[in-house]
């Protein structure tokens, strides 16, 4: 028994383990640390090393500081457990991700049934926007020192201190919030159930909510105000008051043109803009671009602009756009691809512009209003949140996220998911059931709708910042998502074709059908809730019978439909497996061509599809009948009536979408479509994919042709010094062109070095040569090195090969997908200069490592697309010379992005090493070189690479 009837005043044990790995079944415990405490008083401690009877990896030793000699001299866990179990006794246990520690103990025979709590969950809920929830990071953010991370006893001590701090925060929540969190926890298997129950009962018995684990300070205990009604005691009025109500813009009838001379003047030294921006520099390239943008807006023309690194293209288009919007009370939409650029615009560039324009002469009166607008899935739907929390049972993930949102609702004015740190996939999974994506037809709760508020802000803004995904979604929604606008600026336009391809096609996973049917007939499915609501509601018997009959008919359809869907995917899986075997290549993706559809097995698939199609049509008919039975009952006392009505409509829509996409994929493919199937590894789950062969015609019809002015810009739009490729791919015709180089002095800033004795990328010796080049470069530069790969497999192989040697020399090896997520790797790289970072995919662009943080950039190979990738393969077939006309231009755009990671400011200096000699040995290599900035260029032998890097990076700036 716990020593005190009120658990928060009793004895707790903080526990932490160090292990050889993450698998409780395969890895071993090497250290146990525990602290027994009551309030802030430490009662006892436990610290033991454990002999795993195996060799420790170099990573484990480096990560924990525990040596092989230390564990060899320690007792085995069976001996340690004899003392550990009585130390813990029956006290409640707290840990940071405690399920990990208890899982390891259980796998070694120590199964504890003690109450437990988790500081990770507490931090996740109580600090909803913190960027990280790792023990060291969250402790530091709360002022808790952690001198020796990744040692069990020290981690246990810090966990204890963190628990006390977080318990104080929880106890300080208002009564209604704490009560609701406790109720959610009680309806689930959530690890915080015991703690929240203790907090709730402790406050209730004392009448006020003292901080039970602290030194006796008291939080202000107040009753929920009378205005807190409607949704779980939320103060709806307070939420409503956070919304800024501004009238929608009404464009002037008479259009005033931008004063191009004023644009020019504002971008020069001594201007209000120069005073508003830290480190402002007058750049002629920026002025030229801004003038071109202003002229395009004035004349209602299209413009494509490439502006090299350092031009300041964002301000070059924002300034004329803002002047036009203010003068005409009009709206300009700016679309970007990356979050990084959106953040730069919203937190740096546009605020500086607002300040500058407020102090400038001859600028239209009124403050420039700007906002960000996202897709429906990014905004919380209060009604869906309320509906989920009302369920009789919840999963631990649902209870955790519902509680996090509840805390967040005390401060958010936007309901934007971007304000939350979702931490990992499992923790974020329930968001799909809370977002406005599934709330079509919802009108909010008592006038509070975050999505509508976001759209109202956009309707009142002069500048609206969106991303390419929303821009494409708006096209498909008939331009109903983004407020009307005549001026569109597309930054990072080199991604426009890719995003259009994604949105104008579809992805239909086998699991999507399972989810669809689960929403109907699962444990908490729609059918069960409708039946329960009608059985207890005061409605006419005939209406009740109609609804319950519809529920019964749908329920009877589901088993056969599940079987038919499974049969259809089984046949498709057999076809895919056969096709992969015939091609003699192990592929996860199999393209479905006209030749595939002529195979005998395809006829069998069409028969299976027809059975599914008939069943989905029948399901649609019965769902429509169920929807009709719900209509007109607004005054009845049906539980969650509006929620049931909305969910039924959404499932109807999803059912029709599934039916239509299956029909397109199997019997009725578009002539202009690309189709393929992806098999998900060992699980064998199939996903159907479709994409348009060409996007240009649809972009012209749905996007470009609808606007007065469209401007495409990026740092990388040209290939071989022309825009021909990007214009052909996007259909952006009849546009003026402007190709601006960088203001940086590249010959002095950057050395491009190509080892001419590198083996060919197809050679068995190539990986070893790449690994040697990375090692030599890292040592020569003293760290500050990044290597970019075109595949995760080659990256991970290189990381394994170089790690031991470089670590022995005191260098840190950071590999994407191995040592943490990209944002954490970047921060570690910046914090520890003696590092080499190995990246792929996202690291080729959007990474800004200015100054001395990056000295050497290695590009492992020319970034050609995989020839068998379905979309690339299909589009390649449209060219007579697909390699030179399509593959090479695509690769040039990618290598230019990668190259741009090195020189970010005018004072940067470094070396780019291309470890692919084809850039000098093949004829097409000249196109790559012509597309790169005019740097100092050298070829060398591999063994000379260190010398070249040292000479360049240590030389004084000329």
């Amino acid at each position: 028994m716990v020593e005190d009837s009120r658990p928060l005043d009793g004895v707790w044990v903080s526990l932490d383990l160090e292990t050889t790995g993450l698998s409780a079944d395969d890895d071993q415990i090497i250290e146990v640390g525990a602290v027994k405490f009551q309030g802030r008083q430490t009662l006892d401690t436990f610290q033991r090393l454990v002999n795993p009877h195996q060799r420790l990896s170099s990573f484990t030793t480096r990560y924990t500081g525990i040596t092989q000699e230390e564990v060899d001299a320690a007792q085995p866990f069976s001996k340690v457990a004899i003392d550990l179990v009585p130390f813990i006794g029956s006290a409640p246990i707290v840990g940071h991700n405690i399920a990990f520690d208890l899982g390891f103990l259980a796998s070694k025979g120590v199964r504890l049934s003690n109450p437990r709590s988790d500081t990770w969950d507490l931090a996740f809920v109580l600090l909803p926007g913190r960027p990280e929830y790792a023990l060291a990071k969250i402790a530091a953010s709360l002022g808790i020192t952690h001198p020796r991370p990744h040692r069990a006893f020290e981690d246990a001590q810090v966990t204890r201190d963190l628990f006390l701090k977080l318990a104080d925060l929880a106890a300080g929540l208002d009564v209604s919030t704490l009560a609701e969190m406790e109720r959610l926890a009680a309806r689930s298997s959530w690890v915080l159930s015991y703690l929240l129950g203790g907090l709730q009962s402790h406050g209730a018995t004392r009448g006020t909510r003292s901080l039970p684990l602290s030194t006796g300070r008291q939080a202000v205990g107040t009753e929920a105000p009378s205005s807190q009604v409607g949704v779980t005691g939320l103060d709806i009025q307070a939420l409503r008051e956070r919304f800024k109500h501004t009238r929608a813009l009404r464009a002037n009838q008479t259009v005033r043109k931008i004063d191009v001379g004023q644009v020019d003047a504002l971008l020069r030294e001594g201007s209000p803009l120069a005073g508003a921006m830290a480190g402002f520099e007058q750049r002629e390239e920026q002025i030229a671009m801004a003038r071109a943008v202003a002229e395009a807006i004035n004349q209602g023309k299209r413009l494509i602009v490439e502006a090299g690194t350092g031009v300041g293209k964002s301000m070059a288009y924002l300034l004329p756009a803002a002047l036009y919007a203010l003068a005409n009370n009009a709206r300009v939409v700016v679309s970007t691809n990356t979050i990084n650029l959106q953040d730069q615009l919203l937190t740096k560039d546009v605020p500086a512009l607002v300040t500058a324009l407020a102090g400038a002469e001859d600028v239209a009166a009124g403050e420039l209003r700007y906002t960000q607008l996202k897709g429906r899935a990014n905004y919380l739907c209060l009604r869906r949140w309320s509906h989920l929390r009302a369920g009789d049972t919840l999963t631990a993930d649902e209870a955790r996220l519902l509680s996090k949102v509840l805390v967040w609702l005390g401060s958010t004015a936007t309901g934007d998911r971007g304000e939350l740190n979702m931490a990992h996939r499992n923790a974020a999974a329930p968001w799909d059931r809370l977002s406005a994506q599934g709330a079509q037809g919802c009108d909010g709760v008592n006038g509070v709708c975050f999505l509508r508020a976001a759209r109202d802000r956009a309707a009142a803004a002069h500048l609206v910042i969106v991303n390419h995904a929303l821009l494409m979604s708006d096209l498909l929604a008939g331009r109903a998502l983004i407020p009307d606008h005549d001026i569109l600026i597309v930054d990072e336009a080199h991604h426009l074709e890719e995003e259009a391809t994604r949105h104008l096609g579809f992805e239909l996973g086998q699991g999507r059908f399972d989810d669809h049917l689960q929403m109907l007939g699962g444990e908490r499915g729609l059918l069960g809730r409708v039946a329960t609501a009608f059985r207890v509601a005061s409605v006419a018997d005939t209406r009740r019978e109609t609804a319950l009959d519809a529920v019964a008919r749908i329920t009877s359809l589901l088993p056969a439909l599940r079987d038919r869907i499974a049969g259809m995917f089984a046949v498709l899986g057999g076809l895919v497996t056969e096709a992969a075997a015939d091609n003699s290549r192990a592929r996860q993706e199999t393209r479905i061509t006209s030749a595939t559809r002529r195979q005998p097995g395809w006829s069998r698939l069409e028969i299976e599809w027809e059975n599914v199609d008939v069943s989905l049509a029948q399901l649609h008919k019965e769902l429509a009948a169920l929807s009709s039975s719900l209509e007109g009952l607004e005054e009845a006392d049906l539980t969650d009536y509006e929620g049931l009505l909305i969910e039924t409509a959404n499932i109807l829509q999803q059912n029709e979408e599934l039916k239509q996409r299956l029909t397109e994929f199997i019997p009725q493919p578009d002539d202009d479509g690309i189709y393929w199937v992806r098999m998900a590894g060992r699980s064998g789950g199939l996903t159907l994919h479709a994409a348009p062969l060409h996007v240009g015609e649809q972009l012209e019809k749905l996007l470009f042709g609808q606007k007065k002015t469209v401007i495409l810009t990026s740092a990388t739009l040209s290939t071989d010094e022309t825009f021909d490729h990007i214009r052909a791919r996007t259909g952006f015709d009849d546009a003026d062109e402007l190709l601006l180089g960088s203001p940086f002095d590249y010959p002095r800033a950057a050395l491009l070095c190509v080892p001419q004795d590198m083996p060919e990328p197809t050679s068995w010796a190539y990986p070893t040569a790449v690994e040697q080049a990375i090692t030599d470069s890292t040592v020569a530069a003293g760290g500050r090195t990044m290597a970019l790969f075109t595949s995760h497999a080659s990256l991970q192989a290189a990381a394994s090969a170089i790690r031991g040697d470089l670590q022995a020399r005191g260098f840190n090896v950071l590999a994407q997908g191995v040592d943490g997520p990209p944002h954490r790797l970047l921060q570690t790289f910046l914090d520890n200069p003696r590092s080499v970072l190995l990246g792929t995919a996202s690291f080729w662009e959007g990474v800004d490592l200015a100054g001395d943080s990056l000295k050497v950039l290695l590009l492992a190979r020319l970034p050609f697309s995989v020839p068998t990738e379905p979309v690339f393969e299909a589009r390649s077939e449209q060219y007579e010379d697909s390699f030179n006309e399509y593959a090479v231009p695509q690769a040039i755009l990618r290598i230019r992005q990668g190259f741009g990671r090195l020189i970010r400011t005018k004072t940067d200096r470094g070396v780019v090493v291309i470890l692919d000699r084809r850039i000098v040995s093949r004829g097409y290599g000249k196109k790559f070189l012509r597309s790169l900035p005019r740097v100092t260029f050298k070829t060398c032998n591999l063994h000379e690479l260190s010398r070249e890097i040292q000479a360049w990076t240590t030389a004084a700036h000329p």
Side-chain angles (χ1 to χ4, degrees), residues 87-204:
F87 178 89
I88 296 174
S90 59
I93 303 169
V94 61
H96 200 74
N97 191 10
I98 191 62
F100 175 86
D101 302 281
L102 296 181
F104 259 91
L105 291 179
S107 73
K108 311 310 175 191
V110 177
R111 292 176 173 82
L112 300 172
S113 58
N114 305 45
R116 71 272 319 256
S117 188
D118 197 319
T119 49
W120 189 95
D121 280 58
L122 274 171
F124 180 81
V125 168
L126 298 174
L127 306 170
R130 289 296 168 92
E132 289 198 53
Y133 297 120
L135 179 61
K137 293 289 187 180
I138 202 69
S141 72
L142 294 175
I144 300 170
T145 58
H146 194 180
R148 218 165 51 138
H150 312 307
R151 291 303 299 262
F153 179 64
E154 285 78 1
D155 282 355
Q157 287 181 309
V158 170
T159 299
R160 184 270 313 271
D161 295 342
L162 179 60
F163 178 63
L164 297 174
K165 286 252 187 183
L166 293 173
D168 278 1
L169 290 177
L173 294 171
D174 64 78
V175 173
S176 60
T177 299
L178 191 57
E180 174 64 9
M181 288 171 59
E182 191 276 331
R183 189 190 69 82
L184 294 171
R187 292 190 177 192
S188 70
S189 58
W190 189 22
V191 69
L192 293 189
S193 178
Y194 178 78
L195 172 65
L196 291 170
L199 284 169
Q200 178 70 5
S201 63
H202 195 96

Side-chain angles (χ1 to χ4, degrees), residues 737-868:
E737 299 179 356
L738 183 61
L739 182 58
L740 295 168
S742 170
F744 297 157
D745 188 350
Y746 272 102
R748 296 184 179 186
L751 169 68
L752 172 58
C753 196
V754 180
Q756 58 189 354
D757 58 343
M758 282 290 297
E760 288 284 331
T762 54
S763 167
W764 62 269
Y766 176 74
T768 302
V770 169
E771 293 152 11
Q772 187 61 51
I774 296 172
T775 299
D776 291 347
S777 300
T778 302
V779 174
R784 309 175 193 273
T785 298
M786 181 163 68
L788 298 179
F789 291 79
T790 56
S791 79
H792 286 280
S794 56
L795 180 154
Q796 292 172 11
S800 297
I802 68 175
R803 194 181 295 275
D805 184 14
L806 284 174
Q807 286 175 351
R809 304 190 198 194
F811 293 98
N812 197 20
V813 178
L814 305 170
Q816 183 181 356
V818 177
D819 300 309
H823 72 277
R824 188 177 301 166
L825 294 184
L826 279 173
Q827 190 57 54
T828 304
F829 184 76
L830 291 169
D831 292 342
N832 182 3
R834 288 181 66 82
S835 298
V836 57
L837 174 58
L838 278 57
T840 185
S842 59
F843 280 96
W844 280 78
E845 61 179 293
V847 175
D848 196 350
L849 296 168
D852 289 335
S853 55
L854 182 64
K855 285 298 184 183
V856 179
L857 174 71
L858 299 109
L859 307 180
R861 62 191 302 167
L862 299 180
F864 287 109
S865 297
V866 177
T868 56

Side-chain angles (χ1 to χ4, degrees), residues 223-386:
E223 295 299 321
S226 58
S227 62
Q228 293 187 344
V229 294
V231 183
T232 328
L234 282 179
D235 190 341
I236 296 296
Q237 181 61 31
L239 277 174
R240 191 182 296 115
E241 289 173 355
R242 290 181 207 149
F243 297 162
K244 294 182 178 179
H245 298 285
T246 309
R247 289 185 179 180
L249 292 179
R250 291 188 178 181
N252 300 341
Q253 292 185 348
T254 303
V255 176
R256 292 177 55 189
K257 291 188 175 182
I258 305 167
D259 182 344
V260 179
Q262 183 183 37
V263 172
D264 188 306
L266 282 169
L267 289 171
R268 295 191 180 275
E269 294 286 357
S271 70
L273 186 60
M277 296 186 67
F280 177 88
E281 295 177 11
Q282 181 175 315
R283 285 163 282 191
E284 295 306 317
E285 294 88 351
Q286 184 182 53
I287 294 172
M289 177 177 173
R291 292 179 66 94
V293 170
E295 292 290 358
I297 293 175
N298 283 343
Q299 299 172 26
K301 299 177 69 175
R302 298 178 182 181
L303 173 67
I304 184 167
V305 186
E306 177 178 289
T309 305
V311 166
K313 64 178 169 56
S314 300
M315 193 57 70
Y317 62 69
L318 287 173
L319 175 59
L323 291 174
Y324 174 85
L326 280 170
N328 295 284
N329 207 35
R331 183 179 303 106
V332 177
V333 170
V334 176
S335 181
T336 77
N337 188 67
T338 63
I339 293 174
N340 288 344
L341 180 54
Q342 282 199 352
D343 288 345
Q344 176 190 318
L345 297 180
L346 291 162
T347 64
K348 179 183 174 183
D349 294 344
V350 180
L353 184 59
V354 170
T355 300
L357 294 180
E361 297 179 359
D362 300 324
V363 173
E367 182 178 349
L368 180 73
R369 297 194 297 272
Y370 63 96
T371 191
Q372 181 181 27
L373 183 62
K374 298 182 179 181
R376 299 182 67 101
N378 291 280
Y379 297 100
L380 175 72
C381 173
L382 272 181
R383 188 170 297 282
R384 297 190 81 204
W385 175 80
S386 179

Side-chain angles (χ1 to χ4, degrees), residues 448-710:
V448 176
C449 175
F450 290 114
L451 174 63
R452 186 171 63 236
R455 291 179 176 174
D456 287 347
R457 288 192 297 271
H462 299 98
L463 292 179
V464 179
I465 313 297
V466 303
N467 61 20
H468 296 351
L470 181 60
L471 187 65
M472 294 300 107
S473 296
D474 186 54
L475 304 187
L476 299 178
R479 297 186 298 280
L481 307 180
I482 303 173
D484 289 341
H485 56 283
D486 289 330
I487 314 296
L488 172 65
I489 300 171
V490 182
D491 201 343
E492 299 177 311
H494 58 284
H495 282 291
L496 189 59
E497 182 190 17
E498 177 187 1
E499 202 62 47
T501 298
R502 185 178 297 114
H503 278 76
L504 296 174
F506 63 78
E507 177 180 320
L508 187 58
Q510 189 170 349
R512 176 84 178 276
F513 291 89
D514 296 335
D515 293 342
H516 180 57
L517 300 186
Q518 188 72 16
M519 290 173 66
L520 283 167
E523 182 181 346
R524 290 173 289 153
L526 173 67
L527 300 179
R529 298 201 311 278
V530 169
T532 299
F534 269 98
R535 288 191 186 106
V536 301
S538 299
V539 296
D541 289 343
T542 54
R543 178 64 73 95
R544 179 182 294 107
E545 290 174 5
T546 300
L548 293 180
D549 285 348
V551 167
R553 291 193 300 271
I554 295 172
T555 301
S556 67
L557 285 174
L558 298 184
L561 178 53
R562 283 193 180 91
D563 291 343
R564 289 177 173 182
I565 290 170
M568 179 188 68
F569 275 101
V571 172
L572 180 58
L575 290 172
V576 169
T577 301
E578 182 180 341
D582 289 345
N583 290 334
S584 300
R585 56 192 179 194
R587 293 175 57 183
Q588 286 187 314
E589 295 179 328
T590 300
R591 189 172 157 211
I592 305 300
T593 64
S594 57
T596 310
R597 298 175 189 276
R598 290 193 296 268
Q599 297 299 314
W602 196 263
S603 297
R604 183 182 169 195
L605 177 63
E606 289 185 338
I607 292 172
E608 296 290 340
W609 160 80
E610 189 171 3
N611 292 332
V612 173
D613 188 64
V614 169
S615 293
L616 287 174
Q618 184 64 29
L619 178 58
H620 184 91
K621 176 183 175 182
E622 299 299 348
L623 283 170
L626 179 62
S627 180
S628 296
S629 72
L630 287 167
E631 292 176 358
L633 296 177
E634 290 84 355
E635 303 302 322
D637 58 348
L638 261 71
T639 303
D640 192 32
Y641 171 69
E642 290 187 11
L644 293 175
L645 202 63
I646 291 170
E647 188 169 351
T648 303
N650 287 338
I651 292 176
L652 253 173
Q653 180 181 336
Q654 291 173 23
N655 194 76
E656 185 61 23
E657 179 185 293
L658 293 174
K659 186 175 182 295
Q660 290 176 356
R661 289 182 172 178
L662 267 183
T663 299
E664 178 185 340
F665 192 92
I666 296 176
Q668 297 176 15
D670 287 345
D671 293 337
D672 191 39
I674 306 167
Y675 301 92
W676 69 101
V677 178
R678 182 176 179 83
M679 183 174 290
R682 297 178 181 177
S683 66
L686 301 179
T687 304
L688 315 182
H689 293 263
L693 187 60
H694 304 282
V695 301
E697 183 176 340
Q698 293 188 67
L699 285 177
E700 171 60 36
K701 177 182 177 181
L702 300 175
L703 183 64
F704 304 145
Q706 303 295 323
K707 309 301 174 191
K708 172 187 170 186
T709 298
V710 181

